[in-house]
Amino acid sequence: MIELKNTTKYFRIGFFGIKKNAVENLSLTVEAGKVTGFFGPNGAGKSTTIKMIVGLVHPSNGIIKINGYDSMDYKARLNLGYLPENPSFPRGLKGIEIISYYSKLLNKKIDKNEIYDALKLAGIFYAKDIHAHKYSKGMTQRLALAISILGDPEILIFDEPLSGLDPIGRKEFKDIIFKLKERRKTIFFSSHVLADSKELCDKIAVLVNGRLIKNEGITAIEKEAEGYTEAKLNSSKNHERTPDTTKPEQDKDYRLIAEYNTPLEVYLYDLMRKNKKN
Amino acid sequence: MKKILYSTMYSFKEIKNSKIFYSFLIFALILISGSYFVSQTSFISQGRIMVDFSIFAITIFNIFIGIFIGSSIVYDDIEKKSIFLSITRPVKRTEYLIGRFLGLTAAIIFSTVIMMLIFYFVLLIMHKYVIPLKPFAGQPTIYSLPQPLIIQALFIIIESVFIAAVALLFSLITSKALASIFTILVFFIGNVSSKMNDLVRPVKKIIGGKIVIVHQANHALTNIVHIIYAILPNFSIFNISSEAAYKIFISAGTVFYRIVYGLSYMVLLFIISSLIFTRKDIS
Ligand SMILES: Nc1ncnc2c1ncn2[C@@H]1O[C@H](COP(=O)(O)OP(=O)(O)OP(=O)(O)O)[C@@H](O)[C@H]1O
Ligand SMILES: [Mg+2]
């Protein structure tokens, strides 16, 4: 279980070190054994939050606990796998050398077969003897995924796992998440692609401008979304009947609904846009 | 402990496969072999020219490795984000840092040993400076390098690792380029500071049974030089190439004192680096 309590992170930017909040007073509990989707537009603070959870970035304020350990304590990461956004590896080393090294950093003994299994699951086994700097983006992503699931950790944190993957890769990755979900892993993944949300998540958290604006179970949020979309469709239909009041703004909304095919996507999109303006 | 060892091995492998390390190593080997031709330009003391030239090449290239790889070994790992996967494993940041640093140390030892070996073979071929040892009667003779040359190799390792510790510390607080420049500056000052310190000392003479100061540099300048001398590392003590060239025996006490000086300064620098690194946001 991951608990964030009133977590704030500011970065000092520029010559004078002016504070700029990346995450603001975030309180969030990622429940054990569930898949939580973490959504938000670019620059919302998703990666910053994730980096605080995995101990890369120190929170400026507040507490983060993983299984009871403080996030900066290495013990918090005893049972945690992390897939960074845009992972990369040093030059001149083969995929298999890299993953063997990371397997040695775990507190468990990992044998060769386990490494091979992880590589196979991530679909990169065939390229294990190639130098990692010659990998394509998707291959690098897969190697990082294999590393993050090594040792079968209870908690898995994926930062934009689907970015950089082709449609087949995305499908495969989602299947992997489904498999992990069946095995009751705690999964926390970030994305800005709303279409990924529904099938995978038990819970959805939405972050905009560093603030958490939604954190609910999938059924509750779907119900809300349906009500919202219905109301929206009705109102735009009403507008259509009276052509003189049609504004270009509403026209755009109408097209959007056609573009996103589920009420949930429309709802989340509108939610993000509304909050982004503030 | 095991994790540090694996980290060290991995970092060493990474450095060994890096282009910069290769090119320095190959360059040095070319220079060392070339020292033979340089020495041929002289009729006298060819051996001494070779020793001077080769020791200079070995020193400077290991210092380069210390400066350039020292300032990039952690910096690049952060910049390229490859560090993300290693320090989010159940390892302490200090363990990671020790692993990186020891990996670089191993690389410096490796390169010094290889360079010394090539140097040894060149000397062996020329039959200069090598000392025949007859372990047992009837056995083939083994040739050894003179003691000051072996000590010099050890000092080159200590000095380069020391420089790497300076570069690592700088790279954690500034950019890689600035860290290299600052390290070069520290190295330069550290090499001349003891001479400077001697220069600004008051010149005293005994005139008519009294000690009289005949010359005294500006007081402010003297103090600045003394402070620099006291604070910044003194690298000149690791340069014993003239002793090596004249085969002067280096006493065990001197060796011990200089190694302890180098190691304790290095440990201090490393502790500061580690404190900075554990507090650093890596993003
Ligand atoms: N090291 C840093 N120094 C200064 N500002 C930073 C730093 N890291 C992140 N930020 C700022 O924090 C904010 C949040 O960034 P973050 O990377 O967390 O966004 P994100 O939600 O992951 O976006 P994306 O979807 O594009 O990945 C941004 O405004 C960014 O400029
Ligand atoms: Mg991000």
Side-chain angles (χ1 to χ4, degrees):
Chain A
M1 193 170 74
I2 306 169
E3 290 170 282
L4 289 94
K5 271 190 211 132
N6 305 99
T7 310
T8 297
K9 177 68 200 177
Y10 55 77
F11 289 105
R12 294 191 177 275
I13 47 170
F15 183 73
F16 298 103
I18 299 159
K19 288 182 189 175
K20 183 180 168 289
N21 279 354
V23 176
E24 239 176 277
N25 206 18
L26 174 64
S27 296
L28 175 72
T29 304
V30 178
E31 284 165 45
K34 292 208 169 136
V35 180
T36 306
F38 193 39
F39 297 92
N42 287 134
K46 302 183 296 294
S47 299
T48 305
T49 309
I50 287 179
K51 282 175 193 162
M52 285 195 287
I53 293 172
V54 298
L56 287 168
V57 167
H58 299 244
S60 315
N61 266 312
I63 307 167
I64 302 178
K65 294 235 145 138
I66 299 156
N67 290 339
Y69 293 110
D70 188 90
S71 64
M72 294 311 297
D73 187 349
Y74 80 98
K75 289 197 197 98
R77 283 170 258 126
L78 282 175
N79 233 328
L80 181 146
Y82 165 55
L83 172 68
E85 67 178 338
N86 310 321
S88 94
F89 299 103
R91 291 184 66 86
L93 294 172
K94 290 176 188 157
I96 186 75
E97 291 175 321
I98 291 172
I99 195 169
S100 318
Y101 162 65
Y102 286 111
S103 74
K104 300 278 174 22
L105 296 184
L106 294 174
N107 276 28
K108 303 169 190 161
K109 190 123 185 66
I110 309 281
D111 63 20
K112 212 172 191 142
N113 289 329
E114 273 178 86
I115 293 178
Y116 285 177
D117 286 346
L119 286 170
K120 277 174 193 153
L121 185 63
I124 191 71
F125 184 72
Y126 69 95
K128 68 180 191 324
D129 291 320
I130 299 175
H131 283 241
H133 65 262
K134 294 176 189 152
Y135 280 10
S136 73
K137 189 168 184 236
M139 289 162 83
T140 313
Q141 186 91 346
R142 282 161 192 265
L143 179 61
L145 172 69
I147 291 168
S148 68
I149 56 179
L150 263 183
D152 202 23
E154 277 313 304
I155 301 175
L156 288 153
I157 296 178
F158 301 137
D159 198 353
E160 311 226 359
L162 300 177
S163 79
L165 293 180
D166 58 23
I168 301 167
R170 297 166 85 84
K171 167 81 174 56
E172 282 176 3
F173 197 95
K174 284 189 215 168
D175 288 343
I176 295 170
I177 295 191
F178 272 123
K179 261 185 223 164
L180 295 168
K181 188 177 171 174
E182 271 166 26
R183 291 169 49 206
R184 314 283 308 147
K185 303 282 177 200
T186 310
I187 300 172
F188 186 63
F189 77 94
S190 82
S191 175
H192 42 227
V193 187
L194 302 172
D196 302 328
S197 57
K198 202 187 154 195
E199 324 115 72
L200 296 174
C201 305
D202 298 315
K203 283 192 81 182
I204 284 181
V206 182
L207 194 74
V208 180
N209 287 349
R211 267 174 254 143
L212 191 69
I213 56 169
K214 208 88 229 155
N215 177 26
E216 270 165 73
I218 189 86
T219 37
I221 212 166
E222 268 191 326
K223 207 170 263 172
E224 265 176 54
E226 264 161 37
Y228 174 83
T229 326
E230 241 161 60
K232 188 169 167 153
L233 280 173
N234 285 340
S235 74
S236 36
K237 264 180 202 149
N238 289 341
H239 281 301
E240 258 180 351
R241 276 187 207 126
T242 51
D244 46 310
T245 54
T246 320
K247 292 180 208 153
E249 168 91 327
Q250 254 135 15
D251 235 356
K252 207 175 82 195
D253 280 0
Y254 198 70
R255 260 188 277 126
L256 246 171
I257 291 175
E259 189 181 314
Y260 288 115
N261 37 34
T262 67
L264 184 62
E265 284 170 33
V266 178
Y267 179 55
L268 287 181
Y269 177 84
D270 277 357
L271 208 61
M272 284 182 197
R273 227 179 32 157
K274 231 183 282 164
N275 282 275
K276 185 116 197 168
K277 274 178 195 158
N278 303 342
Chain B
M1 258 341 260
K2 252 196 185 147
K3 289 178 189 170
I4 294 178
L5 186 68
Y6 286 121
S7 231
T8 303
M9 276 160 30
Y10 183 76
S11 305
F12 174 62
K13 231 189 220 171
E14 196 185 321
I15 297 168
K16 205 163 55 81
N17 292 355
S18 72
K19 278 183 193 145
I20 180 163
F21 183 73
Y22 253 119
S23 22
F24 280 158
L25 191 58
I26 289 170
F27 221 112
L29 295 185
I30 291 171
L31 277 186
I32 294 165
S33 332
S35 72
Y36 168 76
F37 299 102
V38 175
S39 70
Q40 293 305 301
T41 57
S42 166
F43 293 109
I44 44 154
S45 56
Q46 292 178 343
R48 222 155 66 210
I49 292 174
M50 276 191 60
V51 169
D52 263 345
F53 190 82
S54 298
I55 289 298
F56 174 74
I58 296 173
T59 309
I60 211 72
F61 280 102
N62 278 297
I63 294 288
F64 277 171
I65 290 172
I67 292 173
F68 295 111
I69 301 185
S71 59
S72 66
I73 184 140
V74 174
Y75 189 88
D76 279 0
D77 213 18
I78 296 176
E79 198 74 340
K80 289 188 198 148
K81 304 186 172 183
S82 37
I83 193 175
F84 281 15
L85 280 164
S86 32
I87 59 169
T88 52
R89 310 261 97 180
V91 288
K92 293 180 194 137
R93 284 199 185 179
T94 308
E95 287 174 337
Y96 162 85
L97 203 64
I98 294 174
R100 289 308 261 180
F101 190 68
L102 289 184
L104 176 52
T105 306
I108 288 172
I109 293 173
F110 174 77
S111 80
T112 310
V113 167
I114 290 203
M115 290 178 196
M116 282 307 287
L117 271 180
I118 299 295
F119 180 41
Y120 168 71
F121 285 125
V122 172
L123 288 178
L124 206 59
I125 293 165
M126 302 244 330
H127 237 287
K128 291 248 158 68
Y129 271 82
V130 280
I131 303 162
L133 297 175
K134 271 222 163 70
F136 304 105
Q139 296 241 325
T141 20
I142 298 170
Y143 291 92
S144 149
L145 288 173
Q147 184 255 10
L149 263 182
I150 294 169
I151 299 296
Q152 175 67 84
L154 180 66
F155 278 0
I156 289 173
I157 292 173
I158 303 238
E159 186 180 16
S160 309
V161 177
F162 192 164
I163 276 287
V166 177
L168 174 68
L169 175 57
F170 279 134
S171 79
L172 292 176
I173 46 185
T174 59
S175 70
K176 187 166 92 178
L178 279 180
S180 313
I181 293 171
F182 287 154
T183 312
I184 291 170
L185 274 179
V186 168
F187 175 65
F188 180 73
I189 298 171
N191 259 310
V192 297
S193 66
S194 72
K195 284 195 192 92
M196 293 287 289
N197 199 46
D198 290 341
L199 277 180
V200 297
R201 277 224 187 93
V203 180
K204 293 169 189 167
K205 264 188 187 162
I206 298 173
I207 299 172
K210 276 188 206 159
I211 298 173
V212 180
I213 296 174
V214 276
H215 176 75
Q216 166 76 67
N218 179 328
H219 269 289
L221 182 74
T222 311
N223 287 336
I224 290 171
V225 171
H226 283 334
I227 289 170
I228 287 178
Y229 173 71
I231 293 176
L232 285 184
N234 179 4
F235 289 114
S236 56
I237 61 166
F238 298 115
N239 182 3
I240 50 167
S241 61
S242 46
E243 282 91 333
Y246 288 99
K247 299 183 202 168
I248 299 169
F249 188 83
I250 313 288
S251 75
T254 312
V255 176
F256 179 75
Y257 156 74
R258 293 182 186 184
I259 289 176
V260 167
Y261 173 79
L263 285 184
S264 40
Y265 210 122
M266 231 184 290
V267 168
L268 178 72
L269 289 175
F270 190 83
I271 289 171
I272 299 171
S273 296
S274 171
L275 288 176
I276 294 171
F277 186 66
T278 41
R279 276 161 188 70
K280 202 175 166 70
D281 278 345
I282 292 165
S283 69

